[in-house]
Amino acid sequence: MDPLGDELTPIAILIDELKSEDVQLRLNAIHRISTIALALGPERARDELIPFLRENVDDEDDEVLLALAEELGKGMEEFVGGRDYGHVLFIPLEHLAVAEETLVRDKATDSIIKIAAILSPSQLEEYYIPMLKRLSQGEWFSSRTSSASLYASAYPRVSPDTQAELRKLFTTLGGDDTPMVRRAVSKWLGPFAKNLSRDHVISDALPLYRKLSQDDQDSVRLLTVEDLITIAQQLGPAEVGSQLLPQLRSSVTDKSWRVRYMVANHFVELAEAVGPVIVRDEMVTAFVQLLKDNEAEVRTAGAGQIPGFAKLIDNRETILAKIIPCVKDLSTDSSQHVRAALANQLSGLAPLLDKEATIENLLPLFLHLLKDEFPDVRLNIISKLEQVNSVIGNELLSQSLLPAIMELAEDKQWRVRQAIIEYIPLLATQLGRTFFDEQLANLCMSWLGDSVYSIREAATINLKKLTEVFGVEWAKVAIVPKVAAMGSHPNYLYRMTTVLCMTTIGPSLTVEVIRDHVLQVLLTLITDPIPNIRFNVAKSLEVMATTINSTPEGRDISEKRIAPAVDNLRRDVDADVRYFANRAFQKAVAMA
């Protein structure tokens, strides 16, 4: 018998499991490699486990390869001898970085970057850089694609000579024949440029950016928009004007809508990077052009940038003359997605304009969008009214807003009604208690009688939130009596809603309100002829007992009023009623 048999067991088991036809078994083996490495010890893990993983893991299942790439980056270096030997993990990871599946390659490069972060500069020069060169000059495009992501993190930590070599290699990758490689370079040029000196940005990053921004593949060009932002941040305003304006202009007018979409989607970042002079002289015109683009996707992205960009315009008259006309056009756009994006951002313009300009220019747009046929447009407006409210005041906003709210509250689509209910607490906070009591209180109560259960349920939750906004004293006067009155309605659904509403708002009420107003309603309904109502009363009384148990008075109420009432229900003819009554009784007795 082999005396080393016991020592070989961990890796032997690993070998067997990795050769299994069962994918889950192979995955389990991969997830245990750190345990196996610990059992083998650092030296044997380096000499046997790591080479084995490199030579034998050629799994056809990408899920297994992805798991391996992830595990190797999860602190695996401590099991192979610490940071001094962390570089040995590059052996299998380099192989994984060339895999056909993109997710596997990305996870492998992520793990390589994590391990490189703990290595010394000398280890980077000895192990990381040679690997990076091999990947950069690999025969397969997947190898060269992966290498693009590995330059940025290592660059600041290597010698000037090596840095010069890396800049040259990265530039070479940017001219690769394969679009996927050029796309990877476009993606990683920004992070790489952040680590370059200003001189090297001008001498190396800028020419590479220009070349990529004119690539014949739009999938490459669209990624250069973020590179433009990064490079502009590295340069001064004067250099941006002299070096980057032609590329900026061409990106805004690019023949591919996907490139224009990227410009529109990052417009605020771009404007902040190029500085106020170029914003004034170039960016306003460019932004207007994007807001009038032929493609709805571009207009949607532009609409999302409107308030952010408007903040960078130092002249309010420019906003009124250039941006507001575009906003008016977008409010009647043929695409519902454009209108929804505008509705989500429109209120952000109010603080940038004075009260008079907001009333004249924005308020009509709010009212128009509140009547939009697309529910998301209407709801986006309502959810962002606070900024408008702070500019034009409660009274004017409420007068103009109320008709639209009432219309939405009665919408034939129950999901629209439900969404409005969910925004009522926000509106209540914005418009105040007086306005709510006069204009919206009756509306909120009417939802409790809606024909759709989801609306009735949302209405009870709404009342709980309103209690938290306006306080218990308000609820005692405005909500509880009206809900209690529904408890004697001949339609059992109204009585059921009474019970559900009391159950929902109960935890937000005080012991006094529950004692004087809520319990009497529930104790009356305890003899209701409908079993569903009786067992919901039992559930509600359990909630009340839980709510009031924190005070001696509450515990006394549980013992003298709740416990006897549910005790009677424990002998009910309906099994469900008896079950919930037993639960409520135990809770009430335990608390007493």
Side-chain angles (χ1 to χ4, degrees):
M1 185 175 177
D2 186 351
L4 297 178
D6 290 343
E7 297 177 14
L8 290 171
T9 299
I11 200 163
I13 293 173
L14 177 65
I15 292 169
D16 287 343
E17 291 186 346
L18 288 177
K19 289 181 179 178
S20 169
E21 292 184 6
D22 186 344
V23 174
Q24 191 57 52
L25 202 58
R26 300 203 301 275
L27 274 174
N28 292 341
I30 292 298
H31 289 309
R32 291 203 324 274
I33 59 170
S34 58
T35 305
I36 293 168
L38 181 62
L40 289 172
E43 187 174 348
R44 291 191 63 199
R46 293 195 302 271
D47 296 344
E48 298 174 31
L49 179 61
I50 299 302
F52 167 77
L53 291 174
R54 166 61 185 88
E55 292 169 12
N56 294 284
V57 178
D58 194 13
D59 204 292
E60 294 181 0
D61 195 292
D62 292 328
E63 192 177 0
V64 175
L65 297 178
L66 182 64
L68 177 59
E70 186 174 10
E71 288 296 326
L72 290 171
K74 284 185 175 179
M76 187 71 182
E77 67 279 350
E78 65 180 276
F79 301 109
V80 295
R83 61 186 299 173
D84 291 342
Y85 295 95
H87 61 270
V88 302
L89 299 174
F90 291 157
I91 298 170
L93 284 170
E94 182 178 350
H95 175 66
L96 292 167
V98 189
E100 189 175 339
E101 171 56 45
T102 303
L103 288 174
V104 175
R105 296 200 305 270
D106 289 347
K107 186 57 68 176
T109 54
D110 285 348
S111 293
I112 288 172
I113 291 169
K114 286 180 185 176
I115 294 164
I118 67 167
L119 301 184
S120 65
S122 62
Q123 285 177 297
L124 290 179
E125 298 273 5
E126 187 176 353
Y127 301 105
Y128 185 92
I129 299 302
M131 175 187 62
L132 178 53
K133 290 177 182 177
R134 288 192 298 273
L135 290 170
S136 299
Q137 297 165 351
E139 180 181 355
W140 298 100
F141 82 88
S142 56
S143 168
R144 304 192 298 279
T145 300
S146 291
S147 71
S149 64
L150 301 176
Y151 282 80
S153 59
Y155 184 85
R157 302 179 58 213
V158 295
S159 66
D161 289 343
T162 303
Q163 288 181 340
E165 196 173 358
L166 291 182
R167 292 195 302 275
K168 185 176 179 182
L169 278 170
F170 195 74
T171 301
T172 303
L173 281 176
D176 198 277
D177 291 336
T178 308
M180 284 78 84
V181 177
R182 300 198 302 276
R183 189 158 64 234
V185 173
S186 291
K187 178 182 178 180
W188 290 99
L189 174 57
F192 185 55
K194 284 182 180 179
N195 293 311
L196 301 181
S197 67
R198 186 174 150 282
D199 290 343
H200 288 140
V201 168
I202 295 172
S203 65
D204 295 276
L206 200 49
L208 179 56
Y209 159 72
R210 286 180 180 142
K211 183 177 182 179
L212 293 169
S213 69
Q214 296 169 1
D215 197 275
D216 59 354
Q217 298 283 326
D218 65 352
S219 62
V220 176
R221 297 198 305 278
L222 67 87
L223 291 171
T224 63
V225 173
E226 293 181 70
D227 299 333
L228 172 59
I229 294 169
T230 301
I231 292 172
Q233 290 169 342
Q234 304 287 92
L235 303 177
E239 289 165 326
V240 170
S242 62
Q243 302 282 357
L244 292 174
L245 268 186
Q247 284 73 37
L248 176 58
R249 290 169 182 153
S250 65
S251 294
V252 172
T253 58
D254 196 280
K255 61 184 179 182
S256 168
W257 73 265
R258 297 203 297 164
V259 177
R260 302 196 304 275
Y261 169 84
M262 285 293 285
V263 175
N265 203 39
H266 292 85
F267 205 84
V268 173
E269 290 176 81
L270 195 53
E272 289 172 341
V274 300
V277 175
I278 295 177
V279 166
R280 183 190 65 223
D281 297 343
E282 297 278 345
M283 299 295 278
V284 173
T285 303
F287 192 57
V288 169
Q289 196 169 345
L290 291 169
L291 292 179
K292 294 181 177 181
D293 196 274
N294 292 330
E295 296 293 334
E297 288 84 353
V298 178
R299 300 196 300 276
T300 300
Q305 303 283 303
I306 286 173
F309 179 64
K311 288 176 185 175
L312 303 177
I313 301 174
D314 54 11
N315 187 341
R316 189 166 62 87
E317 295 306 315
T318 302
I319 298 175
L320 291 170
K322 299 286 188 180
I323 305 299
I324 294 299
C326 292
V327 169
K328 290 179 179 177
D329 290 341
L330 291 175
S331 70
T332 58
D333 196 278
S334 59
S335 167
Q336 62 190 32
H337 302 294
V338 174
R339 301 195 305 276
L342 176 67
N344 200 36
Q345 300 293 333
L346 186 58
S347 61
L349 284 173
L352 306 177
L353 307 176
D354 58 25
K355 181 176 180 179
E356 184 180 339
T358 298
I359 294 170
E360 181 183 346
N361 295 287
L362 296 187
L363 196 55
L365 299 183
F366 283 119
L367 296 176
H368 172 74
L369 291 169
L370 276 170
K371 297 174 184 176
D372 196 279
E373 62 181 2
F374 188 48
D376 284 6
V377 177
R378 305 193 294 261
L379 298 175
N380 284 351
I381 284 288
I382 286 180
S383 65
K384 296 291 180 73
L385 283 175
E386 193 167 1
Q387 290 173 303
V388 185
N389 186 43
S390 65
V391 175
I392 68 174
N394 269 355
E395 186 176 349
L396 184 57
L397 183 61
S398 60
Q399 287 173 2
S400 56
L401 183 63
L402 185 61
I405 293 176
M406 300 299 284
E407 193 173 327
L408 285 174
E410 297 169 0
D411 196 282
K412 62 182 179 181
Q413 296 288 337
W414 69 267
R415 285 185 176 85
V416 176
R417 301 199 301 276
Q418 184 179 28
I420 284 293
I421 293 172
E422 290 169 357
Y423 281 117
I424 286 293
L426 175 64
L427 286 171
T429 304
Q430 294 171 353
L431 301 176
R433 176 174 164 178
T434 302
F435 171 80
F436 180 87
D437 285 344
E438 292 175 358
Q439 308 289 352
L440 294 177
N442 290 335
L443 178 63
C444 287
M445 297 306 299
S446 71
W447 280 320
L448 292 172
D450 197 277
S451 59
V452 177
Y453 172 76
S454 294
I455 298 297
R456 298 196 299 273
E457 182 183 38
T460 61
I461 296 170
N462 175 50
L463 293 179
K464 174 181 171 64
K465 291 179 179 177
L466 288 170
T467 299
E468 293 167 357
V469 171
F470 293 140
V472 174
E473 287 302 312
W474 172 84
K476 183 175 73 173
V477 175
I479 293 180
V480 175
K482 294 178 181 177
V483 173
M486 292 171 59
S488 57
H489 198 282
N491 187 325
Y492 92 96
L493 286 177
Y494 283 81
R495 303 198 301 277
M496 177 71 81
T497 301
T498 295
V499 179
L500 294 177
C501 193
M502 293 299 191
T503 306
T504 303
I505 67 173
S508 299
L509 303 176
T510 61
V511 173
E512 291 73 26
V513 175
I514 291 173
R515 179 195 65 202
D516 298 338
H517 301 278
V518 174
L519 278 184
Q520 187 55 48
V521 177
L522 294 175
L523 295 177
T524 301
L525 288 170
I526 211 166
T527 57
D528 196 278
I530 306 296
N532 274 6
I533 291 180
R534 296 200 301 278
F535 82 65
N536 274 288
V537 168
K539 289 165 69 175
S540 185
L541 289 171
E542 181 182 353
V543 170
M544 298 306 158
T546 304
T547 302
I548 64 178
N549 80 314
S550 58
T551 65
E553 183 185 2
R555 289 191 288 273
D556 186 59
I557 294 169
S558 285
E559 180 182 8
K560 293 180 179 177
R561 296 185 67 185
I562 295 178
V566 292
D567 188 37
N568 291 332
L569 283 180
R570 294 166 71 197
R571 294 179 289 277
D572 196 275
V573 294
D574 187 275
D576 289 332
V577 176
R578 293 197 301 273
Y579 171 77
F580 287 108
N582 273 319
R583 275 183 33 171
F585 182 76
Q586 290 168 10
K587 185 75 68 174
V589 171
M591 291 179 178

